[in-house]
Amino acid sequence: QVQLVESGGGLVQAGGSLRLSCATSGIIFSSNVMGWYRQAPGAQRELVASITGGGVRNYVDSVKGRFTISIDNAKKTVYLQMNSLKPEDTAVYYCNTVQRSFRYDSWGQGTQVTVSS
């Protein structure tokens, strides 16, 4: 059974950094595209970073150069390193496979990131 547990969010000042973690089980990374998503107040959920089983990374333009997605296969954990944070990065962040993201019941609780001016 697939399980995804996000952690690492918090309150930071603009320009600061956070590292989010996604502990997983039941996922074969080589067969999936892992993604970090976020949902800001009043906005739709968006994919901000992804990594394929072959290690190819993609980012939404607004976070390029600031965020880095990575995987530790031994720990079965997906990370999102966030640097130079901006107030517009404030959102609840979720991890998921891109494949599962199309199912309404596939999401966990996420982790809150709040960036102050």
Side-chain angles (χ1 to χ4, degrees):
Q1 185 175 355
V2 172
Q3 291 185 317
L4 303 164
V5 182
E6 301 95 342
S7 63
L11 278 66
V12 298
Q13 294 183 348
S17 298
L18 284 173
R19 188 181 72 166
L20 307 184
S21 298
C22 175
T24 77
S25 64
I27 295 176
I28 302 174
F29 291 140
S30 63
S31 302
N32 287 276
V33 180
M34 298 302 304
W36 280 97
Y37 301 75
R38 69 186 181 188
Q39 187 168 25
Q44 297 296 308
R45 182 153 38 212
E46 66 172 343
L47 177 66
V48 298
S50 65
I51 182 168
T52 72
V56 178
R57 297 173 170 88
N58 283 283
Y59 304 92
V60 69
D61 286 344
S62 61
V63 309
K64 284 183 178 178
R66 300 188 298 119
F67 290 11
T68 303
I69 186 171
S70 62
I71 292 176
D72 186 325
N73 282 287
K75 296 182 178 180
K76 298 182 179 179
T77 299
V78 186
Y79 301 98
L80 185 67
Q81 179 67 48
M82 305 186 295
N83 299 325
S84 302
L85 283 162
K86 304 175 180 180
E88 50 263 45
D89 295 319
T90 295
V92 178
Y93 284 72
Y94 304 85
C95 65
N96 209 343
T97 72
V98 170
Q99 295 92 324
R100 283 171 51 87
S101 70
F102 297 99
R103 300 204 292 266
Y104 77 95
D105 60 348
S106 68
W107 303 93
Q109 292 185 335
T111 185
Q112 175 72 50
V113 172
T114 302
V115 184
S116 63
S117 300

